[in-house]
Amino acid sequence: MKYIKDALDNHRDDPTTLAWAGHTIAYLGHQRETGVHALERALQLNPNSAAALRSIGWVSNYIGDANRAIESFDALRRLSPLDPVTYATYSGLGAAYSIAGRLEEAVKALEHSRALSVDFTSTLLDLVGSYVALGRDDDAQAAGDKLRTRQPALTIALFRAT
């Protein structure tokens, strides 16, 4: 975290650095407020930063702010429809819909993400949960099987720790 703190302290006018550092400190460092502050600064500097929009979307999911996440991912989809990591945008959007209890929309976004990248772990995790919540047990089993193939060492304890 030393390097992340250095980036936050010494690169306060670089929106891309702030976006990645803010996301990292919020996710790995569990310092959500610090991360959100860095991401808000990144968006003040460049409201059209794909890195900042994607990161604030994911961090908003981590803290349970589904509306902010949906807003950020929707803005990112409009801004950069051909982004090479669009699968991560749809995965984050699906997670946000799930948090908001909008499960059908969650599955639609998550399935779109999976069509773009079949192995993105976050997508698979959220698909399993959304399918279970909708009573789609066969789909949940298939997504769970793919997840176990992709991440055989993943446990509930490891997931919660990260």
Short mmCIF file of all heavy atoms in Angstrom, two decimals, residues 10 12 20 26 30 42 66 76 92 94 109 113 115 124 130 135 152 162:
data_model
loop_
_atom_site.label_atom_id
_atom_site.label_comp_id
_atom_site.label_asym_id
_atom_site.label_seq_id
_atom_site.Cartn_x
_atom_site.Cartn_y
_atom_site.Cartn_z
N ASN A 10 1.16 12.16 -4.33
CA ASN A 10 2.06 12.88 -5.24
C ASN A 10 1.56 13.01 -6.68
O ASN A 10 2.25 13.60 -7.50
CB ASN A 10 3.43 12.22 -5.22
CG ASN A 10 4.06 12.31 -3.85
OD1 ASN A 10 4.08 13.38 -3.24
ND2 ASN A 10 4.53 11.19 -3.33
N ARG A 12 -1.86 14.01 -7.58
CA ARG A 12 -3.24 14.46 -7.36
C ARG A 12 -3.87 15.12 -8.58
O ARG A 12 -5.05 15.41 -8.58
CB ARG A 12 -3.27 15.42 -6.18
CG ARG A 12 -2.82 14.74 -4.90
CD ARG A 12 -3.42 15.26 -3.64
NE ARG A 12 -4.74 15.81 -3.70
CZ ARG A 12 -5.88 15.10 -3.64
NH1 ARG A 12 -5.84 13.80 -3.55
NH2 ARG A 12 -7.04 15.71 -3.67
N TRP A 20 -6.83 4.37 -10.69
CA TRP A 20 -6.28 3.04 -10.34
C TRP A 20 -5.90 2.97 -8.87
O TRP A 20 -6.15 1.96 -8.21
CB TRP A 20 -5.10 2.69 -11.24
CG TRP A 20 -5.54 2.46 -12.65
CD1 TRP A 20 -5.21 3.21 -13.74
CD2 TRP A 20 -6.42 1.45 -13.14
NE1 TRP A 20 -5.83 2.72 -14.87
CE2 TRP A 20 -6.58 1.64 -14.52
CE3 TRP A 20 -7.12 0.41 -12.52
CZ2 TRP A 20 -7.39 0.82 -15.31
CZ3 TRP A 20 -7.92 -0.42 -13.32
CH2 TRP A 20 -8.04 -0.20 -14.68
N ALA A 26 -9.33 1.07 -2.20
CA ALA A 26 -10.67 0.72 -1.74
C ALA A 26 -10.85 -0.79 -1.70
O ALA A 26 -11.45 -1.32 -0.76
CB ALA A 26 -11.72 1.35 -2.64
N HIS A 30 -9.05 -1.97 1.64
CA HIS A 30 -10.28 -1.84 2.42
C HIS A 30 -10.45 -0.44 3.00
O HIS A 30 -11.08 -0.27 4.04
CB HIS A 30 -10.35 -2.89 3.53
CG HIS A 30 -10.24 -4.29 3.01
ND1 HIS A 30 -11.29 -4.93 2.41
CD2 HIS A 30 -9.20 -5.15 2.98
CE1 HIS A 30 -10.90 -6.14 2.04
NE2 HIS A 30 -9.65 -6.30 2.36
N ALA A 42 -10.55 12.18 -9.42
CA ALA A 42 -10.25 11.79 -10.80
C ALA A 42 -11.36 12.24 -11.74
O ALA A 42 -11.10 12.76 -12.83
CB ALA A 42 -10.03 10.28 -10.88
N ALA A 66 -25.68 0.94 -5.16
CA ALA A 66 -26.05 0.42 -6.47
C ALA A 66 -26.41 1.54 -7.45
O ALA A 66 -26.05 1.47 -8.63
CB ALA A 66 -27.22 -0.55 -6.34
N LEU A 76 -20.25 5.03 -18.66
CA LEU A 76 -19.10 4.39 -19.32
C LEU A 76 -19.53 3.68 -20.61
O LEU A 76 -18.83 3.77 -21.62
CB LEU A 76 -18.43 3.42 -18.36
CG LEU A 76 -17.23 2.66 -18.89
CD1 LEU A 76 -16.15 3.61 -19.40
CD2 LEU A 76 -16.66 1.76 -17.79
N GLY A 92 -19.86 -5.33 -13.85
CA GLY A 92 -20.13 -4.39 -12.76
C GLY A 92 -21.56 -3.91 -12.76
O GLY A 92 -22.20 -3.77 -11.72
N GLY A 94 -24.12 -5.59 -13.94
CA GLY A 94 -24.92 -6.71 -13.45
C GLY A 94 -24.87 -6.84 -11.94
O GLY A 94 -25.90 -7.08 -11.28
N ALA A 109 -27.39 -8.30 -18.01
CA ALA A 109 -26.08 -7.65 -18.09
C ALA A 109 -24.95 -8.66 -17.89
O ALA A 109 -23.94 -8.63 -18.60
CB ALA A 109 -25.97 -6.52 -17.06
N SER A 113 -21.95 -9.80 -20.37
CA SER A 113 -20.55 -9.81 -19.97
C SER A 113 -19.90 -11.16 -20.29
O SER A 113 -18.80 -11.22 -20.84
CB SER A 113 -20.41 -9.52 -18.47
OG SER A 113 -19.07 -9.70 -18.05
N ALA A 115 -20.78 -13.30 -22.51
CA ALA A 115 -20.64 -13.47 -23.96
C ALA A 115 -19.37 -12.78 -24.47
O ALA A 115 -18.76 -13.23 -25.43
CB ALA A 115 -21.87 -12.92 -24.68
N LEU A 124 -19.01 -14.64 -13.28
CA LEU A 124 -19.47 -15.98 -12.89
C LEU A 124 -20.02 -15.99 -11.47
O LEU A 124 -21.07 -16.60 -11.21
CB LEU A 124 -18.32 -16.98 -13.03
CG LEU A 124 -17.87 -17.24 -14.48
CD1 LEU A 124 -16.56 -18.02 -14.49
CD2 LEU A 124 -18.95 -17.97 -15.26
N SER A 130 -27.31 -14.64 -8.85
CA SER A 130 -28.54 -14.13 -9.48
C SER A 130 -29.42 -15.29 -9.96
O SER A 130 -30.64 -15.25 -9.79
CB SER A 130 -28.19 -13.21 -10.65
OG SER A 130 -27.55 -12.04 -10.17
N GLY A 135 -34.30 -18.72 -8.90
CA GLY A 135 -34.76 -20.10 -8.95
C GLY A 135 -34.31 -20.85 -10.20
O GLY A 135 -34.87 -21.89 -10.53
N PRO A 152 -10.38 -22.94 -9.09
CA PRO A 152 -10.56 -24.10 -8.21
C PRO A 152 -10.19 -23.84 -6.75
O PRO A 152 -10.70 -24.53 -5.86
CB PRO A 152 -9.66 -25.18 -8.82
CG PRO A 152 -8.69 -24.44 -9.68
CD PRO A 152 -9.38 -23.19 -10.12
N THR A 162 -11.40 -10.95 0.22
CA THR A 162 -11.07 -10.00 -0.83
C THR A 162 -12.26 -9.15 -1.20
O THR A 162 -12.14 -8.29 -2.03
CB THR A 162 -10.55 -10.72 -2.10
OG1 THR A 162 -11.53 -11.63 -2.56
CG2 THR A 162 -9.26 -11.44 -1.82
#
